[in-house]
Amino acid sequence: QGRINYEFQRLKDETKIMLRAVALLSCLASAAAFAPSAMLPRATRAARATGPSMQLYKDGSLQGKGVNIIPIFPRPASLDGTAVGDQGFDPFGFSSWVNMKFVREAEIKHGRIAMLAFAGIMVEAAGIKAPGVESVFGPTKDIFEIHNLAVEKGSMGQILLWTGFLEMVIGWPALNEMLNDPPSQRIPR
C-alpha cells in the first residue's frame, strides 16, 4: 500500500513538472511569433531592391475602379476603390445613403466591443468573480444563467446606460471630428 501511494505521488509530481514545461514551451513558442525576423543576407537584400515590386499600377489610383463584383448590378459611385478590400460589392446600395467613413468607424468599434464581451464571458466561465458578484448572482458559472440574472436584476441596464453615456460624451465628438476633418489634419492614433 505504501509503495503504491509513493509511486502514485511520484507520478503526480512528474505530471505537474511536465505540464509546467509544456506551458512554458508554449509561451515561448507564441512569443516567437512576435520576434523580429532575421536579417536577410546582403545579396538577397540587393536582389529585392532591384527586383520587381508589388507597387500598384499608377500608384493605386485605378485600384478597384474597373471591378464589378456582381455584373447585373452597377458599381456604386461611393465605392471608389480607396478602401481596403473594396471590390464594389454592395447589391442593396447601402453605400449610396450611408457615409462609408461612419460605417468603417462603427465596424471597428463593434469589433472592439465584441472582443471585450468575449473576454468577459471567458472570465465569468472560468469562475473569476468581482467582489460581491457571487452574493447577487450566486455561485453559477453558466454564462447564459448569469446573463439572464443580470438582465433580471438590472445590471445589463446599468451597462447599457453608462456605455451609452460614454458614447455620447466621448464617441460622438470623436466621430464628428473624424467625419468632418480632412485626414491630413488628424493626429494618427
Side-chain angles (χ1 to χ4, degrees):
Q1 181 70 15
R3 176 82 175 149
I4 293 173
N5 285 341
Y6 170 76
E7 288 295 325
F8 183 71
Q9 185 63 38
R10 188 177 64 81
L11 184 62
K12 277 178 51 178
D13 292 341
E14 288 176 359
T15 304
K16 285 181 184 177
I17 292 170
M18 182 67 73
L19 285 174
R20 288 179 182 152
V22 168
L24 177 66
L25 290 174
S26 65
C27 289
L28 290 174
S30 64
F34 299 101
S37 62
M39 292 295 291
L40 294 172
R42 185 172 296 275
T44 307
R45 280 188 281 161
R48 189 179 67 177
T50 59
S53 70
M54 296 300 290
Q55 181 62 37
L56 296 171
Y57 178 69
K58 294 190 178 180
D59 294 328
S61 61
L62 299 178
Q63 179 189 4
K65 290 188 178 177
V67 177
N68 195 2
I69 203 79
I70 303 177
I72 61 172
F73 293 111
R75 183 182 180 91
S78 56
L79 297 178
D80 57 0
T82 57
V84 175
D86 178 10
Q87 296 295 318
F89 182 76
D90 188 13
F92 297 114
F94 290 127
S95 64
S96 61
W97 56 273
V98 176
N99 188 334
M100 293 309 289
K101 289 181 186 177
F102 173 80
V103 172
R104 187 177 308 128
E105 192 74 18
E107 186 170 354
I108 290 169
K109 186 179 294 187
H110 291 137
R112 290 174 180 164
I113 289 172
M115 287 185 275
L116 285 172
F118 181 76
I121 287 172
M122 291 298 104
V123 166
E124 286 294 328
I128 302 169
K129 302 212 181 287
V133 170
E134 196 163 323
S135 64
V136 176
F137 297 123
T140 183
K141 289 184 180 179
D142 181 17
I143 56 173
F144 298 109
E145 187 177 343
I146 292 170
H147 172 269
N148 292 339
L149 286 169
V151 169
E152 180 184 308
K153 296 190 184 268
S155 300
M156 288 294 193
Q158 287 284 323
I159 293 172
L160 181 64
L161 173 78
W162 291 110
T163 54
F165 176 74
L166 286 173
E167 177 66 21
M168 286 190 299
V169 171
I170 298 169
W172 286 353
L175 181 65
N176 189 32
E177 181 180 336
M178 189 272 307
L179 289 173
N180 295 325
D181 287 350
S184 61
Q185 302 297 319
R186 277 187 279 152
I187 299 171
R189 340 181 211 168

